[in-house]
């Protein structure tokens, strides 16, 4: 394995050298939220128009076996930025409203490594990796550590998710527009006499279905309790416009340097409250309309790059943090208006699942200067972006950095078919894993619930080992573990070897 990694690193460096150190590519990572494999046109969607995303795919390389590392957002983001599987590190599950920084200062990260290679770095959009130090973030003052302490030069973020408090934007270390006389604070229990989604349910503009019934912001009740910051609170319907404007500002600065932009979209995470210009754009209600809004954001970012003459040498990667989910806490008719649309495409499962749809996601690479249009079934994981992006930037990783990340820059750019031999899949809800190697998919036994009560998500939990041949059973309906005990043993042992790894080998 070490010799293979070394060879891949040399090949990646060859690409970087071929484009010249002065022309290292700009990198724009557009990270959708809860977007399924089948949610966009180029992956089969018929009733949700996504012309801008489809245009990227038509002019770039579309992957059919691109994976995130976990079927929930916080661990996927952790793995992407650190190059290490989140399941190796305790406490990297779904971050709560007052969650403190999960990636500690001093941890080698993708933005830090690219910055050391001469890149400007920025994150714009959803964060959900914790902020500040124990016992909880200092919402009323300086909020650190955060993105600026782990390699980002600039950050404009929503701290957790759009369904969690605090419902404010944070630029750098401070909440945007906070009135000193009305400071923000967040509590785990309800402050006295605060109205909630339970006490004022009849006044909400979007009803909740489960869990999302605490502090009300913009007529929508959230997870967690927030006080203060009335002037700083966001309006869901303008979030896309605000984030895209932040991208525009970032691109105007420091044009002499290559840049890494992590655009972390909030669509299609709940609550789905797209701008009025997108309402009714699909027959699927707010969820479908939010995907159209996401596509609009992609189009705006591409246009901003093109207007500045940057598009030719910018690598754009469009992907998602996990698979799709319909009812994730609000009554927005995502189930009722689904119709014939298949968010997961041909695959089984969803967000929260170790079935394929939990982690097999849209994955498009567009880089006019280097990447030819096409489709590839090369297996690749988001944990590999750390090593692959750094190779394309012409920088080498130090020993012990991004230990789960493989340099697959050759596969990422379509220059060579070399890719992963196997991908490890994780749900974020269990210590158990799954693995795909070639056509075979193995899911470890787990005695947890097979279906989550509130969301209806199939977890892939079972008392028995599961084995599927994806070449003939992409929907994972025929468990053939009993017919192939040797393959089950091989893949079970492979996962145990992964668990024992502590660094590159």
């Amino acid at each position: 394995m070490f010799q293979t990694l070394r060879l891949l690193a040399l090949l990646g460096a060859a690409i970087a050298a071929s484009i010249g150190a002065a022309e290292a590519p700009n990198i724009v990572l557009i990270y959708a939220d809860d977007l399924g494999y089948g949610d966009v046109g180029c992956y089969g969607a018929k009733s949700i128009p996504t012309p801008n995303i489809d245009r990227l795919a038509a002019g770039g390389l579309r992957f059919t076996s691109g994976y995130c590392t976990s079927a929930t957002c916080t661990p996927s983001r952790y793995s992407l930025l650190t190059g290490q599987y989140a399941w190796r590190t305790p406490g990297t599950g779904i971050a709560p409203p007052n969650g403190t920084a999960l990636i500690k200062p001093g941890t080698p990260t993708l933005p830090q490594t690219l910055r050391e290679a001469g890149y400007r770095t920025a994150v714009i959009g959803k964060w959900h990796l914790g902020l500040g130090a124990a016992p909880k973030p200092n919402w009323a003052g300086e909020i650190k550590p955060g993105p600026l302490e782990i390699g980002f030069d600039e950050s404009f973020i929503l701290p957790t998710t759009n369904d969690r408090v605090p419902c404010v934007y944070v630029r750098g270390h401070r909440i945007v527009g906070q009135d000193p006389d009305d400071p923000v604070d967040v509590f785990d229990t309800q402050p006295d006499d605060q109205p909630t989604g339970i006490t004022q349910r009849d006044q909400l503009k979007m009803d909740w279905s489960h869990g999302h019934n605490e502090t009300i912001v913009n007529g929508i009740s959230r997870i967690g309790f927030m006080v203060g910051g009335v002037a700083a609170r966001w309006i869901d319907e303008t979030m896309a416009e605000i984030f895209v404007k932040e991208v525009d500002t970032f691109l105007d600065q420091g044009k002499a340097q290559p840049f890494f932009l992590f655009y972390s979209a909030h669509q299609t995470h709940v609550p789905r409250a797209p701008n009025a210009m997108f309402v009714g754009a699909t027959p699927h209600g707010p969820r479908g309309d939010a995907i159209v809004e996401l596509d609009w954001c992609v189009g705006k970012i591409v246009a901003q790059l093109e207007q500045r003459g940057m598009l030719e040498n910018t690598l754009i990667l469009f992907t998602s943090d996990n698979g799709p989910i319909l009812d994730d806490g609000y009554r927005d008719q995502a189930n009722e208006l689904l119709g014939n649309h298949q968010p997961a495409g041909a695959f089984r499962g969803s967000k929260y699942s170790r079935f394929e749809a939990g982690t097999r996601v849209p994955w498009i690479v567009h880089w006019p200067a280097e990447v030819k249009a096409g489709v590839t079934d090369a297996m690749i994981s988001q944990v590999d972006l750390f090593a692959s992006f750094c190779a394309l930037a012409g920088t080498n990783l130090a020993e012990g950095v991004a230990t789960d990340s493989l340099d697959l820059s050759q596969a990422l750019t379509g220059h060579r078919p070399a890719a992963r031999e196997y991908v490890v899949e994780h749900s974020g809800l269990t210590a158990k894993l799954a693995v795909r190697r070639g056509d075979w998919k193995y899911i470890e036994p787990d005695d947890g619930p097979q279906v989550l009560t509130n969301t209806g998500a199939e977890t892939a939990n079972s008392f028995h080992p599961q084995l599927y041949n994806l070449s003939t059973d992409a929907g994972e309906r025929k468990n053939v573990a009993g017919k192939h005990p040797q393959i089950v043993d091989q893949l079970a042992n492979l996962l145990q070897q992964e668990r024992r790894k502590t660094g590159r080998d």
Side-chain angles (χ1 to χ4, degrees), residues 3 166 168 194 344 350 399 452 463 494:
Q3 293 298 327
V168 294
Q194 184 186 76
S350 65
E399 189 70 24
L452 298 181
F463 290 103
L494 181 60

Side-chain angles (χ1 to χ4, degrees), residues 31 69-82 84-87 92-95 102 128-129 321 426-429:
Y31 209 45
T69 60
S70 181
T72 49
C73 51
T74 297
S76 279
R77 293 160 194 272
Y78 182 95
S79 299
L80 186 155
L81 293 179
T82 65
Q84 295 182 317
Y85 293 123
W87 48 262
T92 54
I94 301 172
L102 291 176
H128 209 194
L129 285 165
D321 65 350
H426 174 237
S427 75
L429 301 181

Side-chain angles (χ1 to χ4, degrees), residues 28-67:
V28 176
L29 172 57
I30 302 178
Y31 209 45
D33 197 340
D34 294 356
L35 187 74
Y37 186 94
D39 269 331
V40 295
C42 57
Y43 282 91
K46 303 297 184 185
S47 51
I48 300 178
T50 55
N52 296 301
I53 296 169
D54 297 346
R55 198 171 297 119
L56 283 182
L61 189 61
R62 182 171 65 86
F63 285 73
T64 59
S65 291
Y67 290 81

Side-chain angles (χ1 to χ4, degrees), residues 353-436:
S353 174
R354 286 182 292 155
F355 286 128
E356 282 292 282
T359 54
R360 198 189 296 211
V361 290
W363 185 298
I364 300 164
V365 176
H366 183 274
W367 181 12
E370 288 290 326
V371 173
K372 295 180 180 179
V375 179
T376 177
D377 194 41
M379 273 200 298
I380 192 167
S381 171
Q382 289 171 9
V383 78
D384 301 320
L385 293 180
F386 194 138
S388 301
F389 283 166
C390 289
L392 293 173
T395 188
N396 295 319
L397 298 184
E399 189 70 24
V401 171
T403 51
D404 290 314
S405 188
L406 303 182
D407 173 11
L408 297 183
S409 53
Q410 294 283 324
L412 192 68
T413 55
H415 285 75
R416 294 177 185 271
R420 273 189 169 267
E421 178 190 352
Y422 59 89
V423 291
V424 178
E425 302 174 62
H426 174 237
S427 75
L429 301 181
T430 174
K432 301 297 185 179
L433 303 171
V435 61
R436 176 190 169 192

